[in-house]
Amino acid sequence: MENPSVTIDKTGPAFARVGDVVTYTFTVTNTGNVALTNVIVTDPLLGLVRNLGTLAPQQSTSFTATRVILASDPDPLPNTATVVGTPPAGPSVSASDPHSIDIVRPGIAIVKTASPATVLAGG
């Protein structure tokens, strides 16, 4: 019996600063028992669309992609990658993996407090 299945594992840093170039690693695995063709990974935040071709049963492939952290990026910066593959018969199979980066933004804070004036009695 055919059992098509695919997974994607996306890893990247947990924290980054504005201006940092971050590297994401994508690992796609055909976890089923039939070959998958036209295996495509998409990641909208990275503007990524990558066709991995065909993956045999239990075959994995990995690749990396980079992105610069921008001052206009939300904190945390959400990001989800998706993979879709086509089995020999039946509907396509897919999986996704979210990843989020906390952005460390430089900043400074000044706290000013006042206390009551002290009156010194002179003698």
Side-chain angles (χ1 to χ4, degrees):
M1 182 165 111
E2 291 186 355
N3 185 21
S5 181
V6 67
T7 63
I8 185 168
D9 182 35
K10 177 182 175 182
T11 59
F15 299 93
R17 293 190 172 134
V18 172
D20 285 355
V21 177
V22 296
T23 300
Y24 295 96
T25 300
F26 301 81
T27 302
V28 176
T29 304
N30 177 348
T31 54
N33 63 1
V34 294
L36 297 175
T37 59
N38 201 30
V39 178
I40 298 175
V41 175
T42 58
D43 189 318
L45 182 68
L46 302 179
L48 176 78
V49 177
R50 182 167 292 188
N51 189 330
L52 303 177
T54 299
L55 288 179
Q58 305 308 308
Q59 180 183 2
S60 289
T61 188
S62 296
F63 64 93
T64 61
T66 60
R67 182 181 187 277
V68 175
I69 301 298
L70 306 174
S72 59
D73 285 337
D75 184 21
L77 179 61
N79 188 1
T80 299
T82 302
V83 62
V84 176
T86 305
S92 295
V93 292
S94 65
S96 49
D97 188 17
H99 181 75
S100 182
I101 295 177
D102 289 327
I103 298 176
V104 179
R105 299 186 192 274
I108 188 168
I110 298 175
V111 178
K112 181 178 179 180
T113 59
S115 57
T118 304
V119 177
L120 297 175

